[in-house]
Amino acid sequence: MSESSPTVVGLNVGHDGGCAVLADGEIVAIAEERLNRSRYSAGWLSALHYCLHAVRKSLDDVDLVVFSSIGERLPTGFDGGLDRFGLRPNRTITVDHHLSHAYSAYCLSDFNSAVVAVLDGAGNDAATESYYFATDDGLTTIASTDATRPRAGGIGATYEAFTNYIGFHEQEAGKTMALASYGDPGRWGLPLFEVDGLRVEGRLGTTHERGVVDLADRENLDLGAPYEVDSRTAMDLAAWVQSETERAVTQLVTELVRRTGVRSVCVAGGVAMNCVMNERVRSSAEVDLFVPPPASDRGQALGNVLIGCHRLTGRLHRRPLRRDEFGRSYAEAEILSALRRHPHLVHRERHPRAPFAYGKESDPALVAAQLLAEGKLVAWFQGGSELGARALGSRSILADPRTAESRDRLNRDVKKREWFRPFAPAVTAEAVDEWFRAGPAPNPFMLFTATAREEKRPQLEAITHIDGSARLQSVTLADHPLFHRVIDGFGRITGVPVLLNTSFNVHEPIVESPSDALATFQSTALDAMVMGNYLVTKR
């Protein structure tokens, strides 16, 4: 082992499984779903192969493998069967689920010291909330969920239960967040959480939709029938749980600041993917807030790697994040192999399979900008993929943000999402203040909301939510030069330096490889795709 640069593997055993590898000071990470094309899937074997291949290492080179799990803790000595694949003995450890989240949040921030709140649907045992104090010397626990309180009483588990009752999978809490803007949060006038210091006591005694049914019976509430997504009651339920989550988390963060005197706050865990909540906490608690893009369990493997590096070297591996790009890049030869449908490639076949043409461009960003200004729907595939759930300019579908027609065509013909879910804007950092009312800190990861300025909303119809909000991504020339060039180019043509930016997928995980991208492009109504330096169009 190189004492200064060990090779560490992180693996997540549970939903949103995946792998991260730290080698020669660099990290490659990917979720298993991006490779097996099954959303939220458990497992890590394909991801392990992908990451080791990307860093040109084998299991024999690995100094430590770090596992984490959800629910029941893994037994001491757990190795996932890797001994049969060449891993040397005594090279594995298991770590706490919430501690993994906390490491990823702090190590990716640029804070010298911070408090960390991990807010989750579940962790190990019944933990749903945990709190830490973090410095470059390490992380120490401040408090955690009372072991006597059931998991159902946690913030994340409560949000999941309401999400189930409304009619969504618990991993689709973002849909509940979007629906909340249409509802009345005060219809039932009942708090869902009691917050005492850092202790949270929710009203639910059972997880999933059963917990909401029991609450209605116990409190004699008319919560309507379950699974009626388009009903007024469903909208009000979404608004209720959203508002109560914002209130509870704001109280917890305010208490953390009061206890420690530290106003730099990191938040991770599935609850932290709620960008509306994040914005309220940042403004109401008056804190500097950082949320890592892979705040959900997609970030577990990454947190595990960071813990492993700390254990081996005695030092934290700090990587202040400017861009969520943990996947490997694809060379031009690999892109051409996919476009030429090389027989040695594993192709993703899908129907209809539209014929296409392709050609190399000297300035693909400006070509994309021109197509977007003409109203085309353009897929954008560049560099390594994002690890988090949001597409941020590596695996994106882009569209003109100026008209509702653009939004409706994208939704009707390509994405086929629920009517109430908004699309997000990507805007050049220098134009944010002109077009949006946003917080003082940069927002490169779509993890906070902003408000579209009233006078600009007629030019932002495709990305403005019913309440005037937008899940903003600010893009700098220094951190994301090629994507910035597309947005800036569109702005020079149209006068609007903003693009609609959504994930490059259709009811499946975000595309990973050139072959994935081509299959999705051929089988949808996308007009064009820019992949590396190549423009792909329908024939």
Side-chain angles (χ1 to χ4, degrees), residues 46 108 129 175 187 193 276 325 411 453 464 474 520 535:
S46 296
L108 297 182
E129 296 88 29
K175 296 182 181 182
R187 174 172 167 180
F193 306 105
V276 177
E325 190 175 294
N411 212 19
R453 293 191 180 277
T464 304
S474 57
T520 299
L535 173 66

Side-chain angles (χ1 to χ4, degrees), residues 85-108:
F85 293 92
L87 183 69
R88 289 172 286 169
N90 303 314
R91 300 275 168 163
T92 65
I93 61 171
T94 61
V95 298
D96 180 78
H97 184 95
H98 278 194
L99 184 64
S100 177
H101 277 312
Y103 263 79
S104 66
Y106 176 66
C107 290
L108 297 182

Side-chain angles (χ1 to χ4, degrees), residues 455-466:
E455 69 275 14
K456 299 292 188 181
R457 289 182 193 177
Q459 295 173 279
L460 299 173
E461 289 186 359
I463 55 84
T464 304
H465 200 23
I466 186 69

Side-chain angles (χ1 to χ4, degrees), residues 65-337:
V65 179
V66 185
F67 289 94
S68 64
S69 63
I70 191 168
E72 186 177 349
R73 294 180 184 273
L74 296 170
T76 301
F78 179 84
D79 69 2
L82 289 177
D83 59 322
R84 290 171 286 178
F85 293 92
L87 183 69
R88 289 172 286 169
N90 303 314
R91 300 275 168 163
T92 65
I93 61 171
T94 61
V95 298
D96 180 78
H97 184 95
H98 278 194
L99 184 64
S100 177
H101 277 312
Y103 263 79
S104 66
Y106 176 66
C107 290
L108 297 182
S109 79
D110 59 5
F111 300 142
N112 292 325
S113 61
V115 287
V116 183
V118 177
L119 310 170
D120 224 351
N124 291 126
D125 307 318
T128 55
E129 296 88 29
S130 300
Y131 315 97
Y132 303 84
F133 178 67
T135 69
D136 283 349
D137 293 326
L139 282 73
T140 55
T141 302
I142 297 172
S144 189
T145 307
D146 187 331
T148 63
R149 194 215 68 193
R151 181 175 80 85
I155 296 171
T158 298
Y159 208 102
E160 287 179 354
F162 273 78
T163 296
N164 290 155
Y165 189 86
I166 290 167
F168 308 128
H169 189 281
E170 57 267 22
Q171 295 296 322
E172 297 177 320
K175 296 182 181 182
T176 302
M177 181 186 74
L179 188 63
S181 296
Y182 293 86
D184 173 11
R187 174 172 167 180
W188 290 281
L190 185 71
L192 289 172
F193 306 105
E194 297 296 332
V195 180
D196 181 11
L198 294 176
R199 177 184 170 86
V200 177
E201 194 72 46
R203 286 187 177 271
L204 300 193
T206 308
T207 58
H208 304 293
E209 55 264 70
R210 183 73 241 175
V212 181
V213 172
D214 292 346
L215 173 67
D217 290 344
R218 188 170 65 249
E219 302 288 347
N220 194 28
L221 301 173
D222 180 7
L223 302 184
Y227 318 136
E228 294 188 351
V229 173
D230 292 329
S231 69
R232 168 53 57 186
T233 296
M235 297 174 194
D236 292 343
L237 286 170
W240 185 22
V241 72
Q242 176 67 31
S243 175
E244 283 294 287
T245 297
E246 293 172 19
R247 177 186 65 82
V249 176
T250 299
Q251 286 183 242
L252 291 171
V253 168
T254 300
E255 175 63 14
L256 271 176
V257 172
R258 187 195 68 79
R259 288 194 186 190
T260 63
V262 177
R263 305 199 75 84
S264 298
V265 180
C266 303
V267 183
V271 177
M273 295 303 295
N274 190 313
C275 58
V276 177
M277 178 202 77
N278 293 339
E279 186 59 38
R280 177 172 173 185
V281 170
R282 179 165 70 175
S283 58
S284 298
E286 298 180 337
V287 294
D288 295 325
L289 190 63
F290 175 76
V291 181
S296 69
D297 283 6
R298 288 178 176 87
Q300 278 284 297
L302 179 59
N304 295 348
V305 153
L306 296 167
I307 293 174
C309 181
H310 191 201
R311 297 274 179 94
L312 288 176
T313 66
R315 298 184 304 277
L316 288 185
H317 182 86
R318 298 299 306 278
R319 179 183 168 169
L321 201 62
R322 300 288 178 266
R323 182 168 169 172
D324 178 13
E325 190 175 294
F326 286 95
R328 77 173 185 89
S329 295
Y330 290 84
E332 181 173 306
E334 294 177 288
I335 292 172
L336 279 173
S337 289

Side-chain angles (χ1 to χ4, degrees), residues 32-74:
E32 187 76 3
E33 69 165 21
R34 301 287 178 89
L35 303 172
N36 68 18
R37 313 306 299 153
S38 176
R39 299 186 79 177
Y40 319 123
S41 69
W44 41 260
L45 196 56
S46 296
L48 173 62
H49 180 270
Y50 170 103
C51 291
L52 288 175
H53 175 74
V55 299
R56 296 179 173 84
K57 301 288 184 181
S58 70
L59 276 178
D60 190 53
D61 299 314
V62 173
D63 299 301
L64 187 65
V65 179
V66 185
F67 289 94
S68 64
S69 63
I70 191 168
E72 186 177 349
R73 294 180 184 273
L74 296 170

Side-chain angles (χ1 to χ4, degrees), residues 27-30 50 325-329 383-387 395 512:
I27 298 175
V28 174
I30 193 167
Y50 170 103
E325 190 175 294
F326 286 95
R328 77 173 185 89
S329 295
S385 58
E386 301 91 345
L387 179 59
R395 304 289 186 275
E512 166 55 28

